[in-house]
Amino acid sequence: MSFPLSIPSPEWSFFDLGPFRIHAYAICILIGIFLATAVTSRRLTKRGGEPGVVLDIILWAVPLGIVGARIFHVLTHPNDYFYDGANLWDVFAVWKGGIAIFGALLGGAVGAYIGTRRAGIRFWSFADALAPGMLLAQAMGRLGNWFNHELFGLPTTLPWGLEISPDNAAYPVGLPVGTLFHPTFLYEIVWNLVGVAVILILERTFRLRWGTAFGVYLIWYGAGRSVFESIRVDPSEIFFGLRTNVWAALFAVAIGLVIILVQSRRHTGIELSPYLPGREWKPADPEVEFGETDSVFEDHGNEADEPVESRDVDATSTTDSRP
């Protein structure tokens, strides 16, 4: 059935490429990771980071983020995996769907901490650079939910209602065919994209550093998610009258506030470098580098027989001892 004032669900969610099945949701996730990486790399480089250093960090953050996302989903949907006759191997079948952004944040934070320590980058500097990129990645992830016909909201008569087939497993029992639903995927996409602009504007206005930009991200995303999650109809564990992810969203808001308050008091000065003390990266001086190379072809007479004082300069670190 076609609705002139509604949002249709896509007619496909995957395609086969030879022996491989490519899911639209997976494509959206990969595009989101690419966007987040590109934005974070550009922002961190502009703040003094070595070009490409972000790749050393996401090699830890992305895998642990996926593991955390899966663990959080399984723990908050136990009835889908632990019942009489259940195949316990499905707990690991992430390709069948089932990841949670709040678990990804927890696992990704652990991975980012490991990666930043190994790369010599301040964890909070990386988090600030990542903040708008995270919202872009999450917006792409929600587009993947649209392809999967999942995570829609309560019935609505609004002109932007989402069409869902009545044979969908999540279609509420008893509702007539043709019922439209709130497109929560679209609400969250718009909310996240607006959040990107909000973070960038606040950064220019208040010089957000030392983790405060990431704190704004947590507050913005958590506030929006707590609302959108409340109108979804898919099954979820309920605690004290609220869905699990609503509690997680409110917790994210609280953590964001704590980060801003604590970091603003701990660091009142300007963040001069994204590097840990003693781990600073300094680009080589092209003039010095090429000048030394050219000197090889010059005739220095007998100077080579004379002792020369070493003029080696460490181009990768300084004596800066800022905390």
Side-chain angles (χ1 to χ4, degrees):
M1 181 179 296
S2 177
F3 301 90
L5 294 176
S6 60
I7 301 175
S9 291
E11 297 182 357
W12 64 278
S13 63
F14 63 86
F15 61 90
D16 293 323
L17 187 62
F20 303 102
R21 174 156 291 183
I22 311 299
H23 290 268
Y25 183 73
I27 294 175
C28 290
I29 293 294
L30 291 175
I31 293 175
I33 293 174
F34 172 80
L35 290 175
T37 301
V39 170
T40 304
S41 180
R42 184 173 186 276
R43 285 165 55 82
L44 198 59
T45 300
K46 288 181 65 176
R47 298 180 187 194
E50 180 181 4
V53 71
V54 166
L55 297 178
D56 296 332
I57 301 172
I58 66 168
L59 287 176
W60 289 91
V62 171
L64 289 182
I66 294 174
V67 171
R70 183 60 175 178
I71 291 175
F72 192 94
H73 170 78
V74 171
L75 292 179
T76 54
H77 295 78
N79 294 332
D80 293 343
Y81 301 95
F82 306 108
Y83 55 87
D84 291 339
N87 181 4
L88 294 181
W89 287 109
D90 283 343
V91 168
F92 305 99
V94 66
W95 55 89
K96 293 183 179 180
I99 57 176
I101 182 59
F102 293 112
L105 285 174
L106 293 173
V110 173
Y113 181 79
I114 296 172
T116 52
R117 297 296 293 185
R118 291 173 62 89
I121 296 288
R122 299 180 194 268
F123 173 80
W124 290 118
S125 297
F126 171 77
D128 282 341
L130 173 67
M134 275 294 296
L135 288 173
L136 286 176
Q138 287 167 292
M140 284 303 306
R142 284 307 177 214
L143 187 62
N145 294 140
W146 178 53
F147 280 97
N148 279 358
H149 306 189
E150 61 186 2
L151 309 185
F152 46 88
L154 295 168
T156 182
T157 57
L158 293 170
W160 55 79
L162 178 65
E163 301 175 22
I164 295 293
S165 173
D167 60 3
N168 188 304
Y171 199 96
V173 177
L175 290 181
V177 176
T179 299
L180 301 179
F181 300 88
H182 280 287
T184 50
F185 81 92
L186 180 59
Y187 298 162
E188 197 164 323
I189 287 175
V190 173
W191 181 260
N192 290 345
L193 294 180
V194 172
V196 173
V198 168
I199 290 176
L200 296 179
I201 291 173
L202 290 178
E203 275 189 335
R204 287 176 175 243
T205 305
F206 299 104
R207 299 287 296 176
L208 301 180
R209 292 294 190 273
W210 304 107
T212 52
F214 191 75
V216 172
Y217 154 75
L218 289 175
I219 294 171
W220 183 267
Y221 180 71
R225 180 64 184 272
S226 65
V227 175
F228 308 140
E229 184 74 24
S230 298
I231 64 174
R232 278 173 30 179
V233 298
D234 54 298
S236 176
E237 294 292 308
I238 304 295
F239 294 98
F240 302 104
L242 295 177
R243 293 164 63 95
T244 303
N245 283 334
V246 173
W247 284 114
L250 295 176
F251 185 69
V253 172
I255 292 296
L257 288 171
V258 169
I259 290 174
I260 292 174
L261 292 175
V262 171
Q263 293 296 91
S264 296
R265 291 186 177 184
R266 288 184 60 192
H267 304 282
T268 56
I270 299 175
E271 181 186 279
L272 299 179
S273 171
Y275 281 92
L276 294 168
R279 302 287 299 276
E280 294 86 351
W281 170 79
K282 183 179 179 181
D285 188 340
E287 294 183 3
V288 173
E289 183 176 349
F290 287 111
E292 293 177 351
T293 302
D294 293 341
S295 66
V296 173
F297 300 97
E298 295 178 3
D299 183 8
H300 296 286
N302 296 325
E303 289 181 352
D305 298 329
E306 300 177 3
V308 179
E309 183 180 354
S310 174
R311 294 176 295 175
D312 291 343
V313 178
D314 185 355
T316 60
S317 65
T318 70
T319 57
D320 186 5
S321 59
R322 290 187 301 276

